[in-house]
Amino acid sequence: DGGITQSPKYLFRKEGQNVTLSCEQNLNHDAMYWYRQDPGQGLRLIYYSQIVNDFQKGDIAEGYSVSREKKESFPLTVTSAQKNPTAFYLCASSLRGHGYTFGSGTRLTVV
Amino acid sequence: GQQVMQIPQYQHVQEGEDFTTYCNSSTTLSNIQWYKQRPGGHPVFLIQLVKSGEVKKQKRLTFQFGEAKKNSSLHITATQTTDVGTYFCAGPWNNNDMRFGAGTRLTVKP
């Protein structure tokens, strides 16, 4: 079955550490996105990529980095520069002009 | 900041009552999308509206896109406990990436 897979489901980070969240899709979608969701809040766009080897900052890109070396993969690194990283991270993909397919998310907690 | 505003933030209804959430944009939208997120889950795409004044139905759900393409609504008739969750609208910004409203959280009392 086609879909979008995020891993891990839960992640714990120590202060000062960088961590990388994985996002893989086999839907042949060109566009991929990373959103952050805080408890009881909406989704805020971190980064997005419309094609391989190209990506753009969203509204809250500071403290995050991404790469898009393959069409299927769009990993997100949460760096130590992100001062409040505890949140629910959602990856999505889409065909241009169509609805988004979301992964099941990664819950990141700073310990 | 968010380009689409959604109200109400919360709605608690008795099972069988109707429910409506509204989405408003300060700019004209080329399209609007609606998603549902169950508690503890991830958003799931429901529908996309493109045409001015468009109305689409999915069983008990009715979606409308305003004539000016600046507002939209989702109406659920005779809510059920399975309707519980947060409903988000989303509108396109630059390069078609979507900006989401803050969502309306629906709870249903059996």
Side-chain angles (χ1 to χ4, degrees):
Chain A
D1 288 338
I4 183 165
T5 302
Q6 288 187 243
S7 61
K9 190 169 183 176
Y10 298 95
L11 186 58
F12 298 90
R13 192 195 92 168
K14 293 182 179 179
E15 298 266 0
Q17 273 187 339
N18 292 355
V19 291
T20 298
L21 283 58
S22 171
C23 180
E24 304 277 334
Q25 55 101 357
N26 60 4
L27 299 166
N28 201 32
H29 288 172
D30 289 315
M32 297 187 74
Y33 314 85
W34 275 104
Y35 286 88
R36 169 180 171 144
Q37 186 175 37
D38 293 284
Q41 302 296 315
L43 284 68
R44 292 185 290 168
L45 183 65
I46 305 173
Y47 268 99
Y48 62 98
S49 168
Q50 298 287 348
I51 56 173
V52 175
N53 292 321
D54 187 51
F55 48 83
Q56 306 295 328
K57 292 183 179 180
D59 297 326
I60 55 166
E62 186 175 352
Y64 300 97
S65 66
V66 294
S67 62
R68 186 85 188 277
E69 296 176 1
K70 299 187 300 181
K71 186 176 185 178
E72 300 79 19
S73 178
F74 192 39
L76 173 74
T77 297
V78 184
T79 74
S80 57
Q82 171 51 238
K83 298 306 178 187
N84 185 25
T86 294
F88 186 41
Y89 290 88
L90 288 158
C91 179
S93 69
S94 76
L95 291 171
R96 189 174 180 86
H98 289 72
Y100 288 10
T101 300
F102 281 87
S104 56
T106 293
R107 296 188 184 276
L108 174 63
T109 304
V110 173
V111 296
Chain B
Q2 302 211 348
Q3 281 73 47
V4 287
M5 303 298 293
Q6 221 178 321
I7 56 170
Q9 189 174 3
Y10 301 97
Q11 187 76 59
H12 179 71
V13 301
Q14 188 78 35
E15 188 172 21
E17 292 181 339
D18 292 356
F19 159 77
T20 305
T21 174
Y22 301 90
C23 187
N24 295 288
S25 170
S26 57
T27 59
T28 301
L29 301 171
S30 59
N31 66 80
I32 195 159
Q33 298 176 357
W34 286 92
Y35 293 79
K36 176 183 179 180
Q37 184 176 22
R38 294 181 184 274
H42 58 276
V44 174
F45 174 71
L46 295 176
I47 206 162
Q48 176 171 273
L49 304 174
V50 178
K51 299 177 183 177
S52 170
E54 189 170 14
V55 178
K56 287 189 175 180
K57 292 190 176 184
Q58 290 179 350
K59 297 183 180 178
R60 293 179 295 104
L61 278 61
T62 302
F63 303 85
Q64 291 188 321
F65 201 10
E67 293 290 341
K69 301 181 76 172
K70 287 186 175 182
N71 57 77
S72 181
S73 65
L74 159 58
H75 179 83
I76 302 178
T77 303
T79 55
Q80 300 175 359
T81 54
T82 53
D83 296 325
V84 164
T86 301
Y87 293 85
F88 294 98
C89 63
W93 193 236
N94 297 324
N95 295 319
N96 284 317
D97 59 277
M98 303 301 282
R99 295 297 198 272
F100 285 73
T104 295
R105 185 176 175 182
L106 172 65
T107 55
V108 179
K109 184 176 181 181

